[in-house]
Amino acid sequence: MSLPEKASYTIEDIYSLPEGQRAELIDGDMYLMAPPSRIHQELVSELTQIIGVYIKSKNGSCKVYPAPFAVFLNVDDTTYVEPDISVICDKDKLNDKGCSGAPDWIIEIVSPSSQRMDYLTKLFKYRTAGVREYWIVNPLKETVQTYSFEGEEDSAQASFSDTIPSAIFKDLEICVEKLLR
């Protein structure tokens, strides 16, 4: 079933999609999402587990959620995203529908069809919404692009074989290559 063409979509349109159809909404534009690949899901699962175990080991209050998990970045009804991994440290942002406001850390796993969205559109949206840390994991190139938006902003590119430090969790380091063994 195709979607009716509209000048601008809202979150109501997201909730009206047929069962099983996923989409994201950015500034009123709807982007349908293709099913993820096996490697995509493996990375989401492993990264979610590593981050969750780390948070529990520190008796932390942050929560980690894999997609599909609703994130309402803005106070309007024209932006709705489902990051591959969302880490939220402010429990006041959590409700039964998902997260209202910016997660502290977002990780996106790039697929061939999502590169422009992850590297450009979402980078801008996440930064301006107040996300503190953003990782773009690219299984095709075996790279991780990291962004820290706190204090002195920083970005870096690492390979899967590198040990990559988290910006918001000072003693958490992840080697993506080790997750895929």
Side-chain angles (χ1 to χ4, degrees), residues 4 18-19 24 42 49 53 58 60 62 85 89 92 114 120 129 134 150 164 179:
E19 185 71 30
E24 293 182 307
E42 190 173 330
Q49 188 175 24
V53 166
K58 300 294 182 181
C62 301
I85 300 171
C89 298
D92 291 338
S114 73
L120 298 173
Y134 177 40
E150 288 192 303
I164 307 164
L179 302 178

Side-chain angles (χ1 to χ4, degrees), residues 112-175:
S113 63
S114 73
Q115 289 187 57
R116 181 180 175 93
M117 178 72 71
D118 293 335
Y119 284 105
L120 298 173
T121 307
K122 287 184 177 180
L123 172 62
F124 174 77
K125 289 304 289 186
Y126 293 161
R127 182 182 175 273
T128 57
V131 171
R132 296 166 56 201
E133 181 169 6
Y134 177 40
W135 285 20
I136 304 171
V137 179
N138 190 327
L140 295 174
K141 294 182 178 178
E142 295 189 357
T143 59
V144 179
Q145 183 71 42
T146 64
Y147 298 91
S148 173
F149 301 127
E150 288 192 303
E152 198 170 312
E153 292 187 13
D154 191 25
S155 69
Q157 184 167 315
S159 75
F160 275 19
S161 62
D162 294 330
T163 299
I164 307 164
S166 166
I168 66 169
F169 299 121
K170 299 302 178 198
D171 58 345
L172 173 61
E173 296 180 333
I174 299 172
C175 177

Side-chain angles (χ1 to χ4, degrees), residues 22-33:
R22 290 179 50 218
E24 293 182 307
L25 185 65
I26 297 179
D27 297 329
D29 292 325
M30 189 177 301
Y31 301 90
L32 297 177
M33 298 168 67

Side-chain angles (χ1 to χ4, degrees), residues 71-132:
V71 173
F72 306 91
L73 280 177
N74 304 337
V75 290
D76 61 28
D77 67 346
T78 63
T79 301
Y80 165 100
V81 293
E82 291 183 3
D84 290 315
I85 300 171
S86 301
V87 178
I88 297 104
C89 298
D90 180 354
K91 289 185 181 177
D92 291 338
K93 291 182 179 180
L94 296 171
N95 59 44
D96 287 342
K97 289 189 174 187
C99 177
S100 292
D104 293 270
W105 184 9
I106 289 178
I107 300 175
E108 295 283 8
I109 313 299
V110 175
S111 64
S113 63
S114 73
Q115 289 187 57
R116 181 180 175 93
M117 178 72 71
D118 293 335
Y119 284 105
L120 298 173
T121 307
K122 287 184 177 180
L123 172 62
F124 174 77
K125 289 304 289 186
Y126 293 161
R127 182 182 175 273
T128 57
V131 171
R132 296 166 56 201

